[in-house]
Amino acid sequence: MSTPYDKYEPVIGLEVHAQMMTKTKAFCGCPADFHAPPNTNVCPVCLGHPGVLPVLNSELVDCALKMGLATNCSIRENTIFARKNYFYPDLSKGYQITQFETPLCFEGHVNIRLRDKSVKKIGITRIHMEEDAGKSIHDFSENDTLVDFNRCGVPLIEIVSEPDINSSDEAYRYLYKIRQILVYLGINDGNLEEGSMRCDANISVRRKGDEELGTRTEIKNLNSFKNVVDAIEAEMKRQTELIESGGKVSYHTMTYNAKDKTTSHTRSKEEAHDYRYFPEPDLVRLHVAAGKIAQVKTSLPEPPDARTLRMTGQYALTEAEAEEITAEKPHADFYEAITSKLGSKDPKTYRIASNIFRVDIKRILNEQKIGIGRFLLSPAVIARLADAVSAGEVSASASREIFAQLLSAGSSEAEQISMFDDLVQKYRQVSGESEIEEIVKSVLSQNSNEVERYKSGEKKLAAFFVGKIMQASKGKANPRIVNELLIKNLEVNN
Ligand code: ADP
Ligand code: MG
Ligand code: ZN
């Protein structure tokens, strides 16, 4: 069924604010950790007392350069800072220091993988440095608003995308990619819910096939992936319905109300779109030498896409498998901690380790709702398990049993390894032909009815015999040898 909705496509550009994990704030020596008790990490500079002078934190420049280089941006060697003026109770200075006409990084891109597995390039318009404002706390009491200035001056970068995004799913994937790169670079903890990343979504809709962009609205301060997706969906619907009913979209800043999944206009402050930007008079021009850019480039930690590519080659994984593992940096680190401990450097063993990680370990993480940091088993014991499967010492089904039982071991690696050694003894695969043949023969003689039926054409009973034989061997028989001997014995009796 077609709906009016189908005639339109959304055009979306995201602005992502990410807090940089520097020791100190952007322009003063206060610790940048805003989790401290309210109003303890403040000084005359970040509070904006008259006569104070800001000093640029070089760590912030390094962070911004890393992100720019990792997202294929050009770097502007000479940039200046600007004042963005507005009044708000949590901004005691009356302005934020930011970059306006000369962002440090510009014209980059990232690649995202779409649902249909194709790759789409999303342009990055600019990445600039700025400082955060304070935080107003409204939910403490009904009549009062409290202000915490710890966030004032906390260093941010703002990453602005081109309007290249055409669905809420693409927006999700783009935001995921940006978060992933930030975390890989070690410059942000990727925690949207705690506010170390925030997202503004610019949205317009147009009739499919139109070249011209529609008028956008801007939804401010989305603080979770779910809210980004839901807010975009709600705003697409609102704009489409407005246009379909003969109305016109006009530029507004919007807020998203997660409770009833709607977007609505914000009031006053955000609408005043004249920030009276002017060059920050208290800071000199920033010159980033070509040598410095080259140095940051060579010291760049491996970004996720490069790691995926390396891992497909090094461990004989498919692109999809490698991408699944590198989606979260701690997962990729854990997998590579396993591979570094493997006795066998065979591609087959790497793949077995990948299967244990992607299937068994991730299932436990889901079930227990924990991150890999709290997963009990050490990479070393997982490596031993993968080696044992690869060498045929234990069967795949026995390895799952061993994995499950290991989870009851203690947290020390030594305990886990000693338990593992006992379990391998217990489940060691029986590959000796004579031993298995004995079991096969006894199973066949105990099930003579089924043997007759098999011989008169019911070939699917083979699975029944295999099950009985595996059961009789307590799962230890090597399935390949079981199959061979079963067929041999059934045919011989013919
Ligand atoms: P501002 O600073 O006022 O928010 P920008 O020029 O920095 O304005 O644009 C902000 C974002 O809006 C960018 O991500 C850009 O891609 C996006 N954008 C611009 N025009 C449109 C449009 N017509 N529809 C959707 N997004 C748009
Ligand atoms: Mg904006
Ligand atoms: Zn300060």
Side-chain angles (χ1 to χ4, degrees), residues 113-166:
R113 170 99 44 201
L114 301 184
R115 194 171 270 162
D116 69 2
K117 304 291 169 216
S118 64
V119 171
K120 180 169 177 178
K121 187 167 161 175
I122 308 291
I124 306 273
T125 317
R126 54 187 280 155
I127 301 175
H128 65 254
M129 299 174 277
E130 61 182 26
E131 59 175 342
D132 208 347
K135 189 180 176 194
S136 299
I137 302 158
H138 306 289
D139 48 11
F140 191 75
S141 92
E142 230 166 77
N143 301 317
D144 302 307
T145 292
L146 303 181
V147 180
D148 179 5
F149 288 113
N150 282 349
R151 251 184 220 274
C152 269
V154 163
L156 306 177
I157 59 173
E158 179 173 343
I159 304 146
V160 181
S161 87
E162 288 288 301
D164 288 345
I165 299 165
N166 295 108

Side-chain angles (χ1 to χ4, degrees), residues 165-232:
I165 299 165
N166 295 108
S167 70
S168 59
D169 183 58
E170 287 183 19
Y172 176 93
R173 287 161 195 265
Y174 167 79
L175 189 61
Y176 196 95
K177 176 63 68 180
I178 292 295
R179 173 182 174 274
Q180 190 189 31
I181 297 171
L182 288 165
V183 172
Y184 268 79
L185 295 176
I187 58 179
N188 180 277
D189 64 16
N191 199 331
L192 269 84
E193 277 76 6
E194 280 189 23
S196 25
M197 259 178 89
R198 277 164 285 164
C199 180
D200 299 343
N202 297 269
I203 302 161
S204 62
V205 298
R206 64 177 170 194
R207 275 182 175 270
K208 281 182 184 159
D210 276 4
E211 283 292 315
E212 222 173 296
L213 295 183
T215 303
R216 72 178 159 126
T217 60
E218 183 171 1
I219 313 173
K220 290 281 189 186
N221 270 324
L222 297 164
N223 62 358
S224 70
F225 280 98
K226 182 171 171 18
N227 283 357
V228 169
V229 169
D230 291 349
I232 289 173

Side-chain angles (χ1 to χ4, degrees), residues 8 29 36-37 50 126 129 253 325 426 430 476:
Y8 294 88
R126 54 187 280 155
M129 299 174 277
T253 53
I325 296 173
K426 186 169 159 203
V430 178
K476 292 184 195 175

Side-chain angles (χ1 to χ4, degrees), residues 293-319:
I293 298 168
Q295 180 223 321
V296 172
K297 205 170 200 165
T298 52
S299 68
L300 215 56
E302 186 177 39
D305 289 357
R307 192 165 186 179
T308 302
L309 192 65
R310 174 175 61 75
M311 281 175 49
T312 54
Q314 194 171 345
Y315 306 121
L317 304 178
T318 67
E319 207 166 70

Side-chain angles (χ1 to χ4, degrees), residues 258-326:
K259 259 198 205 124
D260 54 5
K261 295 198 171 177
T262 57
T263 51
S264 53
H265 296 178
T266 48
R267 283 154 298 156
S268 58
K269 159 204 163 182
E270 307 279 6
E271 295 283 49
H273 226 246
D274 192 351
Y275 293 116
R276 300 266 164 186
Y277 283 101
F278 63 82
E280 166 60 58
D282 290 340
L283 285 168
V284 295
R285 170 184 69 106
L286 170 66
H287 174 70
V288 184
K292 167 79 183 174
I293 298 168
Q295 180 223 321
V296 172
K297 205 170 200 165
T298 52
S299 68
L300 215 56
E302 186 177 39
D305 289 357
R307 192 165 186 179
T308 302
L309 192 65
R310 174 175 61 75
M311 281 175 49
T312 54
Q314 194 171 345
Y315 306 121
L317 304 178
T318 67
E319 207 166 70
E321 289 164 345
E323 253 174 30
E324 191 185 330
I325 296 173
T326 56

Side-chain angles (χ1 to χ4, degrees), residues 343-411:
S344 149
K345 303 293 178 195
D346 197 307
K348 179 174 136 209
T349 320
Y350 289 132
R351 297 187 53 79
I352 291 168
S354 150
N355 288 339
I356 296 176
F357 184 83
R358 290 181 305 109
V359 179
D360 304 294
I361 297 182
K362 281 185 67 179
R363 180 173 41 79
I364 297 297
L365 302 186
N366 279 336
E367 280 171 11
Q368 303 184 354
K369 296 195 170 42
I370 54 171
I372 189 74
R374 287 178 51 210
F375 180 66
L376 180 79
L377 301 178
S378 83
V381 76
I382 301 292
R384 291 208 178 196
L385 184 60
D387 272 329
V389 177
S390 181
E393 245 185 300
V394 296
S395 69
S397 65
S399 81
R400 255 166 257 132
E401 191 57 38
I402 293 174
F403 178 84
Q405 295 195 25
L406 276 175
L407 290 170
S408 66
S411 59

